[in-house]
Amino acid sequence: MTEWIQNKVTPPCAESRRVGQERQNQLTKPQGSLGRLEGLAIDFAGFQKTPLPSLQHIAVRVFAADHGIARAGVSAFPQSVTAEMVRNFAAGGAAITVLAHLHHADFAVINLGTAEPMELLPNVINSSLGAGTHNFSEQAAMSPPQLESALRIGRDSCPANTQLFIGGEMGIGNTTSAAAIYSAMLDMPAELSVGRGTGIDHAGLIRKQRCIEKALALHVRADTGPQEILRCLGGFEIAALVGAYIGCAQRGIPSLVDGFICTAAALVACRLNPSVKPWLLFSHCSAEAAHRSVLRSLGALPLLDLGLRLGEGSGAAVAIPIIQAALTLHREMATFAEAGMSVA
């Protein structure tokens, strides 16, 4: 049962935010001169219910799964790359594993269903729901029980002592799934939602658009809700991300949302449970063209715009030092009184 996704989320602590703002106003700088860094410190004061927040415990979970839509030729890479990348994560050779190690994060990969069976690997949790989803241009991507399980696996993926959750994803074909979700939820034409993903050529781009148009005609009506859109067009890993964002918010844990695919999950999570939104931070604007429009629809202001389009949670991991700098400045800068300075 998925009733839990509707459970109300307690908002960040307003009193801690107020006291945090007061401290920012007293630090030895002109008010507002640290820009977004000031807002980040105040956000974390609310998240952690303390005017002096810190960030030591970061959890990174990469959800991996294959997509039936990949067999329609929508990716520049073969479907076998999903399993190969899971092995690369386990060996520590991927961008997100390097960055997670750099930041001493609690790291794990959760395999929700690769087309190729996976052996036991270090830091990989096998929770397979099938050999990938179905081709959503022909039938619903997953069954209701598969969707329920994926949401629950995501919900339960974050350790209890986490101060910041980062979700990543891996799955050949998942930019097509994310673009289809954007088109369905934002009434966005496929030619606007679809990008080149892993680097497909023009013919591949057209195939990708046509697959999404066919899927929208097959699955989406004016009254189709976000959960059904996720079931019909999503992937196991995208559904797990939805569950993770909702579950973390319900436990008072903020999530730093990665790029194009993770933002699709965030969009679904916010539509399913709008009280999740205050617990989401957005790390960067992807090089995928539609991402900027989707962020705007969420009222989200990303921390970075570096032309990133790798996924895996890598853009979110790159943004961690910015948050740590904001919190360290907030805690350790002197106030005017502490510095013995007078202000007019």
Side-chain angles (χ1 to χ4, degrees):
M1 303 295 285
T2 57
E3 288 83 357
W4 63 269
I5 64 178
Q6 303 294 334
N7 291 348
K8 183 174 174 57
V9 175
T10 301
C13 178
E15 177 61 14
S16 295
R17 287 182 59 87
R18 184 190 66 77
V19 178
Q21 179 69 72
E22 286 184 355
R23 176 172 175 77
Q24 277 291 324
N25 294 345
Q26 296 163 10
L27 297 179
T28 49
K29 60 177 176 59
Q31 290 185 24
S33 60
L34 286 176
R36 291 286 307 283
L37 299 182
E38 298 185 14
L40 282 171
I42 293 163
D43 286 340
F44 274 82
F47 296 151
Q48 297 183 8
K49 300 181 181 178
T50 174
L52 296 174
S54 61
L55 182 57
Q56 288 91 34
H57 303 294
I58 301 166
V60 177
R61 294 293 181 267
V62 178
F63 301 99
D66 270 311
H67 290 251
I69 195 68
R71 293 188 291 273
V74 297
S75 175
F77 290 94
Q79 201 166 35
S80 59
V81 169
T82 302
E84 290 168 359
M85 277 302 301
V86 170
R87 295 186 182 100
N88 192 30
F89 293 138
I96 187 56
T97 51
V98 171
L99 291 166
H101 178 74
L102 173 67
H103 298 307
H104 308 286
D106 181 329
F107 176 82
V109 178
I110 301 177
N111 171 23
L112 290 113
T114 53
E116 177 184 333
M118 297 297 304
E119 65 275 21
L120 293 178
L121 294 166
N123 297 319
V124 176
I125 300 166
N126 285 311
S127 300
S128 181
L129 303 176
T133 57
H134 298 296
N135 180 344
F136 64 66
S137 70
E138 298 174 350
Q139 64 184 103
M142 63 191 95
S143 68
Q146 286 175 321
L147 174 59
E148 180 181 342
S149 294
L151 288 165
R152 176 181 46 77
I153 290 166
R155 179 196 65 188
D156 297 339
S157 67
C158 185
N161 67 340
T162 300
Q163 293 173 309
L164 180 67
F165 175 81
I166 292 174
E169 41 62 39
M170 176 60 211
I172 294 301
N174 65 6
T175 58
T176 306
S177 182
I181 290 170
Y182 290 148
S183 284
M185 299 196 70
L186 300 175
D187 196 24
M188 181 183 288
E191 60 264 28
L192 296 182
S193 69
V194 169
R196 294 191 181 273
T198 50
I200 55 173
D201 59 17
H202 180 71
L205 188 70
I206 298 302
R207 277 196 303 274
K208 199 170 175 179
Q209 291 174 358
R210 297 295 173 262
C211 284
I212 289 176
E213 289 167 352
K214 183 179 177 182
L216 294 174
L218 180 63
H219 301 298
V220 181
R221 303 292 180 268
D223 59 349
T224 305
Q227 188 164 324
E228 185 67 1
I229 288 172
L230 179 62
R231 185 182 76 83
C232 291
L233 303 176
F236 295 150
E237 84 284 25
I238 295 175
L241 282 163
V242 173
Y245 294 146
I246 295 174
C248 283
Q250 289 171 340
R251 294 164 59 195
I253 299 170
S255 295
L256 183 59
V257 179
D258 192 49
F260 187 78
I261 292 125
C262 289
T263 302
L267 176 64
V268 175
C270 290
R271 291 287 181 89
L272 288 170
N273 189 335
S275 61
V276 167
K277 175 62 168 59
W279 292 91
L280 300 181
L281 301 169
F282 292 81
S283 63
H284 71 105
C285 185
S286 169
E288 289 284 299
H291 194 218
R292 195 176 302 275
S293 297
V294 178
L295 289 170
R296 193 179 304 117
S297 77
L298 283 163
L301 186 61
L303 297 175
L304 301 171
D305 190 350
L306 299 175
L308 303 174
R309 57 182 181 88
L310 175 59
E312 305 176 1
S314 57
V318 167
I320 289 171
I322 294 175
I323 297 173
Q324 290 174 324
L327 303 190
T328 302
L329 288 166
H330 181 77
R331 287 194 317 275
E332 298 185 13
M333 279 183 70
T335 65
F336 285 105
E338 290 166 346
M341 296 173 62
S342 59
V343 291

